[in-house]
Amino acid sequence: MTAQIIDGKLIAQQVRAEVAAKVAERTAAGKRKPTLATVLVGDRPDSAAYVTSKGKACQELGMGSISEHLPADAAQEQVETLVKKLNADPEVNGILVQLPMPAHINEERVLALIDIEKDVDGFSPINIGRLAQKGREPTFVPCTPYGCIYLLEQAGVQIEGANTVVLGRSNIVGMPAALLLIGKNATVTVCHSRTRDLPGIVRQADILIAAIGKTQMVRGDWVKPGAAVIDVGINSVPDATKKSGHRLVGDVHFDEAKEVAGFITPVPGGVGPMTIAMLMKNTLHAAEIQDP
Ligand SMILES: NC(=O)c1ccc[n+]([C@@H]2O[C@H](COP(=O)([O-])OP(=O)(O)OC[C@H]3O[C@@H](n4cnc5c(N)ncnc54)[C@H](OP(=O)(O)O)[C@@H]3O)[C@@H](O)[C@H]2O)c1
């Protein structure tokens, strides 16, 4: 059996087109463009590239973007003052603080300052707290886990009642993904670096979300036949056939797993494109809340 490939690039394009259409409707009705402010502290090239692509996506969808950049040695107070300024700015609907920030910055304090109605990344303690509580809805769902669930739903995978294994328990991906899945009535096992017999646990999964950042660690014989496999991992491996000298692979050994799984996301072109698409959806949602 060969798995059905879940085309994240195509699904992300559809989400973006829906967002662009709603943005156009709002601006035609005389409302302000939904606007995202990004905050970058320091000069990490990967973070700078992510912030640039988020600004570009805003422009492509007819949304506004404001890019704030502080030096790597910015003081905690400077970052907090900037977030407070963006909270108070009526032009700004969503605030995204690019992580990780330099080590001397207390990220938790910065994230906790973001106005709940502008927390489009969904990482404020209030949003995560609501996600963790039965019967409560977060104002915003963190973008990458939101993208994972959206892909499963678009592929028609039944989440309710499914034995689901989440590999990784980070605040950004694994933990919010597990909470979302519990909210959708899946039975969830969360694995991490201290988990024993990972292959044995993964073999039980009707749905597997892999978010560990370990190159092709999940082998084909770990996968339950017919399972849905969502690969969040982004790992760079040397490849002399590429101009760049490297290529991206996931946490799952795609070629092996696709022979066993029922559904699988590729890397690149799976979860990756969904993250920015869901951020755009959240930014539109922020504008809808603030200016119904
Ligand atoms: N597609 C996207 O848009 C997107 C977005 C975000 C991240 N990512 C990618 O997703 C991956 C995970 O990102 P992250 O930010 O969640 O990473 P992270 O913060 O480094 O967390 C990794 C998690 O995996 C667990 N882990 C590490 N090695 C393991 C092992 N050998 N066996 C079992 N568990 C192990 C860690 O366990 P402990 O908790 O015990 O340390 C931790 O919970 C990375 O490749 C990242 O690049 C992709």
Side-chain angles (χ1 to χ4, degrees), residues 144 168-170 173 192-193 198 211-214 217 232-234 272 275:
T144 301
R169 57 174 165 180
S170 72
V173 191
H192 45 77
S193 64
L198 214 52
I212 46 179
K214 298 283 169 213
M217 185 167 146
V232 187
I234 302 175
T275 298

Side-chain angles (χ1 to χ4, degrees), residues 165-167 189-205 208 212 217-219 221-223:
V165 172
V166 178
L167 296 184
T189 305
V190 180
C191 301
H192 45 77
S193 64
R194 258 51 72 80
T195 299
R196 284 187 301 230
D197 187 21
L198 214 52
I201 294 172
V202 172
R203 268 184 215 112
Q204 309 292 318
L208 172 67
I212 46 179
M217 185 167 146
V218 177
R219 308 302 303 239
D221 65 358
W222 295 25
V223 176

Side-chain angles (χ1 to χ4, degrees), residues 99-172:
L99 303 177
M101 281 189 278
H104 68 280
I105 301 287
N106 182 330
E107 283 184 357
E108 194 181 344
R109 265 175 49 194
V110 174
L111 295 178
L113 269 183
I114 299 174
D115 185 330
I116 183 77
E117 290 200 344
K118 297 191 177 186
D119 178 33
V120 288
D121 236 352
F123 294 146
S124 87
I126 297 175
N127 260 317
I128 294 292
R130 286 190 186 151
L131 191 60
Q133 286 179 318
K134 191 177 173 188
R136 303 271 163 82
E137 291 285 336
T139 310
F140 299 100
V141 176
C143 303
T144 301
Y146 192 5
C148 294
I149 306 300
Y150 197 87
L151 289 177
L152 287 168
E153 289 178 337
Q154 289 295 304
V157 175
Q158 162 124 8
I159 298 176
E160 179 155 324
N163 281 337
T164 302
V165 172
V166 178
L167 296 184
R169 57 174 165 180
S170 72
N171 291 334
I172 292 173

